[in-house]
Amino acid sequence: MRIFGIDPGSERTGYGCVESAGSRQRIVLSGAISSPAGASFPEKLLRIHQRLAAILAECAPDCVAIESLFHAVNVRSALKLGHARGVAMLAAVEAGMPVVEYSPAEIKRAVVGYGRAEKHQVQQMVKLILGLPAIPSPHDAADALAVAICHLNSMAPAHAAPALQRPAGKAAASWRQYRPART
């Protein structure tokens, strides 16, 4: 299964595609889309849309995961981020791919195990999970890979583990009481 993660931004939009085969995850590609310094805001949005559409066509993921808006103090920045998210979602929907959204806290919890993890902790875990020699650069690409990993970790496993076997008449109170199902 291939999941394409997007970390939207009006100045730089990160993207990353992760492929999973069971418990192993590997990076397919990652990077960031940025616009020339003098570009107008509509030109930046057009560039984000066009580049994402081309990359999605090349990568052919099964699903697109995108970071959702978070509470922002600066309303103008939040609106610009919303526009960038919109064109990113449009590119995915035009490509016929399902889109799922995750909050920053959900992403941190799925990747690091703690919803208030620091940015460098998330980046380090992305490096470890994907077996990379270095943290992906730029940081927007690492964040997009974290979004993709979050979705992979949030999905129900294709081949679920067998149900816990409990001693007759007793509820399992801890992992020590786990008994594998006999086949």
Side-chain angles (χ1 to χ4, degrees):
M1 170 160 280
R2 279 189 176 190
I3 306 299
F4 192 88
I6 301 174
D7 178 38
S10 59
E11 295 301 318
R12 197 164 52 198
T13 294
Y15 63 87
C17 188
V18 176
E19 190 169 64
S20 175
S23 62
R24 289 196 46 108
Q25 297 173 0
R26 74 171 188 85
I27 186 172
V28 176
L29 64 98
S30 70
I33 301 164
S34 55
S35 298
S40 69
F41 186 62
E43 291 170 337
K44 290 178 182 183
L45 293 177
L46 178 63
R47 180 165 171 84
I48 291 168
H49 179 267
Q50 289 175 334
R51 289 286 299 132
L52 281 176
I55 296 166
L56 287 168
E58 172 192 330
C59 189
D62 298 300
C63 181
V64 174
I66 188 167
E67 186 174 15
S68 64
L69 275 176
F70 58 93
H71 175 72
V73 177
N74 185 333
V75 176
R76 185 178 300 264
S77 295
L79 284 171
K80 284 186 173 185
L81 177 59
H83 290 350
R85 287 185 73 247
V87 298
M89 292 174 89
L90 177 62
V93 171
E94 283 180 337
M97 294 169 197
V99 178
V100 292
E101 300 176 66
Y102 294 98
S103 71
E106 289 174 310
I107 296 165
K108 291 174 182 179
R109 195 171 25 259
V111 175
V112 179
Y114 178 59
R116 294 188 178 192
E118 299 292 326
K119 191 176 252 332
H120 72 275
Q121 291 173 309
V122 174
Q123 293 169 346
Q124 187 64 30
M125 284 304 296
V126 166
K127 174 188 156 200
L128 293 173
I129 290 168
L130 298 176
L132 303 173
I135 292 173
S137 182
H139 67 83
D140 306 279
D143 293 346
L145 290 167
V147 177
I149 292 168
C150 171
H151 184 64
L152 286 170
N153 289 344
S154 300
M155 294 172 43
H159 47 343
L164 295 180
Q165 290 283 323
R166 297 184 180 104
K170 295 184 182 179
S174 77
W175 63 270
R176 289 181 181 92
Q177 293 177 340
Y178 169 75
R179 300 292 179 266
R182 294 175 193 231
T183 56

